[in-house]
Amino acid sequence: MTEFFNKTLFFFPLSILFFCQCQTKIESEGEIMPEFVITDSLFIDYLGQLSMVDFKEDQSEYLLYDRQRKEFVRVNNKGNILQTKNLSIDGKDYFGTQYLSINYLPNNQLLFVGSGHFFWYDRELNLIEKKEIPFNIKSIYFSPGHVNLVQEQRLFTHAYSKDINEASTEKDEFLSSHPFLTVFDFKEEKFVSQDYIPKSVQMIKSPGKYLDSAPFSLLHNEELYLLFANSPEIYRYNFPNLELMETIELGPGKSTYSQIAPLPFENYEGGTFEMVFENSAYFGLFSSNEYLLTGYYGAIPSDVMEEYNSTATQEAKTIIKEKYKIPYYQIIKEGKKLWEGHLDIQFKNQGGRLFADRKLNQPKVEEELDYIPFYFYELR
């Protein structure tokens, strides 16, 4: 295994030349469409599953997380493991097991945001400082989550005051009554700006119980873009002042997208996961060069859903799921949707880079590898 990696990494400059030719064209009438181009790759000699957490701005170092082992793994840009460390064990560097976000900071430190505290670590994952977060962050997704965005010493998040009674969070008017969109300066320990969720967001127009209300967020051309999982629009803001500048209607396909309707808070008995499974929900907002990219999962038609609920075999359910719950993507440029369609790949985004665990133009291979691949893409 070691010999294989040494040879692969030794010829890395040649592999870049090769990867730049691995392009996947998108067809669209009347438009000059961008292509998905693999520009870089990272191979890690590791048995297990690793999630990309963040990487340094110069891409010299990457931080990953093994949820099963509860270990953080630091690697360099050649895929060599620099350090593994478990921060869930009680001790001076204790963090816990769940994080909302982790980011490399310009001062070579790492900021961990947990459910109730900020943690600052040095690059060797030694705890430097811990502070209580002076507000509640609202999201159900952890390790990794998508609720936070860090830019230098500022944190964009989805938050509400600690003074709010928890019982009021289960009310129809809760999301429209408080300025959830928040920019917080964690160095100066002060709020920079706050704003309400736009009235055109589905959760505000049709209040009720949704699976999650936190938006996907990214900085693109020094502006903030937000996409709520249950609402097919992108909101463009001035950053960090949170002045709404534009609403981009995504208009997803009627045959593939089904709008989620909320469940009532009153007499709520569960069902949000089932609601998301049957309908559509966005799973990501990405950027590459001058383009934005969104991804959503297709819906299951109501008659097929009845078949799914009534079928007794797991095999039949798997066939239905694999046919309908597939990713659809939309490419946007300058506020205009250029293309929408299915791509058989799960793109992810971190630090402004688009990546996946395989090449788009190769078939998916269901086999366990003794290394972990990351392929970095651009839209060109």
Side-chain angles (χ1 to χ4, degrees), residues 61-118:
E61 183 177 307
Y62 297 77
L63 183 68
L64 304 105
Y65 184 59
D66 186 325
R67 296 185 67 172
Q68 184 175 2
R69 296 172 182 158
K70 299 182 176 60
E71 285 185 343
F72 288 95
V73 180
R74 291 174 49 235
V75 304
N76 62 18
N77 57 6
K78 295 182 178 180
N80 299 322
I81 294 177
L82 305 175
Q83 181 186 13
T84 62
K85 190 167 184 177
N86 188 330
L87 299 179
S88 68
I89 301 172
D90 280 336
K92 63 181 182 66
D93 299 321
Y94 175 76
F95 165 73
T97 59
Q98 292 185 322
Y99 62 88
L100 287 162
S101 62
I102 300 174
N103 293 90
Y104 282 95
L105 300 178
N107 62 1
N108 217 25
Q109 293 181 0
L110 284 155
L111 173 67
F112 285 51
V113 182
S115 58
H117 290 85
F118 294 121

Side-chain angles (χ1 to χ4, degrees), residues 24-71:
T24 300
K25 294 185 178 181
I26 300 297
E27 300 296 333
S28 179
E29 295 182 5
E31 294 284 355
I32 299 176
M33 297 302 297
E35 298 174 340
F36 287 93
V37 182
I38 296 177
T39 58
D40 201 354
S41 63
L42 181 70
F43 299 95
I44 305 168
D45 188 355
Y46 189 88
L47 289 174
Q49 294 185 342
L50 290 176
S51 299
M52 181 72 72
V53 176
D54 198 24
F55 45 83
K56 296 185 69 172
E57 187 175 0
D58 63 3
Q59 298 163 30
S60 62
E61 183 177 307
Y62 297 77
L63 183 68
L64 304 105
Y65 184 59
D66 186 325
R67 296 185 67 172
Q68 184 175 2
R69 296 172 182 158
K70 299 182 176 60
E71 285 185 343

Side-chain angles (χ1 to χ4, degrees), residues 57-258:
E57 187 175 0
D58 63 3
Q59 298 163 30
S60 62
E61 183 177 307
Y62 297 77
L63 183 68
L64 304 105
Y65 184 59
D66 186 325
R67 296 185 67 172
Q68 184 175 2
R69 296 172 182 158
K70 299 182 176 60
E71 285 185 343
F72 288 95
V73 180
R74 291 174 49 235
V75 304
N76 62 18
N77 57 6
K78 295 182 178 180
N80 299 322
I81 294 177
L82 305 175
Q83 181 186 13
T84 62
K85 190 167 184 177
N86 188 330
L87 299 179
S88 68
I89 301 172
D90 280 336
K92 63 181 182 66
D93 299 321
Y94 175 76
F95 165 73
T97 59
Q98 292 185 322
Y99 62 88
L100 287 162
S101 62
I102 300 174
N103 293 90
Y104 282 95
L105 300 178
N107 62 1
N108 217 25
Q109 293 181 0
L110 284 155
L111 173 67
F112 285 51
V113 182
S115 58
H117 290 85
F118 294 121
F119 300 81
W120 285 266
Y121 287 83
D122 65 21
R123 61 176 297 183
E124 284 79 29
L125 300 177
N126 300 305
L127 183 62
I128 299 171
E129 188 178 8
K130 171 183 175 182
K131 287 185 179 179
E132 184 177 351
I133 299 175
F135 45 81
N136 292 322
I137 297 177
K138 183 171 175 55
S139 180
I140 68 166
Y141 292 108
F142 287 84
S143 309
H146 67 262
V147 62
N148 293 337
L149 176 70
V150 172
Q151 193 256 359
E152 295 182 347
Q153 65 187 54
R154 293 175 294 205
L155 169 74
F156 170 79
T157 191
H158 183 63
Y160 61 97
S161 171
K162 287 191 171 184
D163 296 333
I164 294 175
N165 189 310
E166 284 300 311
S168 67
T169 65
E170 299 296 309
K171 303 285 187 181
D172 279 352
E173 65 274 13
F174 177 59
L175 289 176
S176 61
S177 301
H178 306 280
F180 281 91
L181 308 182
T182 299
V183 178
F184 182 75
D185 188 316
F186 50 80
K187 185 176 181 180
E188 300 293 331
E189 299 186 49
K190 65 179 183 181
F191 291 95
V192 177
S193 56
Q194 290 183 285
D195 198 10
Y196 290 83
I197 297 171
K199 293 181 180 179
S200 56
V201 171
Q202 182 70 18
M203 298 178 300
I204 304 301
K205 292 194 300 183
S206 300
K209 183 76 174 181
Y210 290 86
L211 183 59
D212 192 49
S213 59
F216 298 95
S217 59
L218 63 82
L219 284 173
H220 182 65
N221 296 331
E222 299 182 356
E223 295 174 332
L224 177 69
Y225 289 78
L226 302 182
L227 170 64
F228 295 85
N230 305 309
S231 205
E233 312 91 23
I234 294 175
Y235 296 88
R236 181 169 67 93
Y237 285 84
N238 171 280
F239 186 83
N241 297 326
L242 292 183
E243 297 171 358
L244 182 59
M245 302 171 66
E246 182 184 16
T247 301
I248 302 171
E249 300 289 343
L250 295 175
K254 294 181 180 180
S255 63
T256 56
Y257 183 91
S258 174

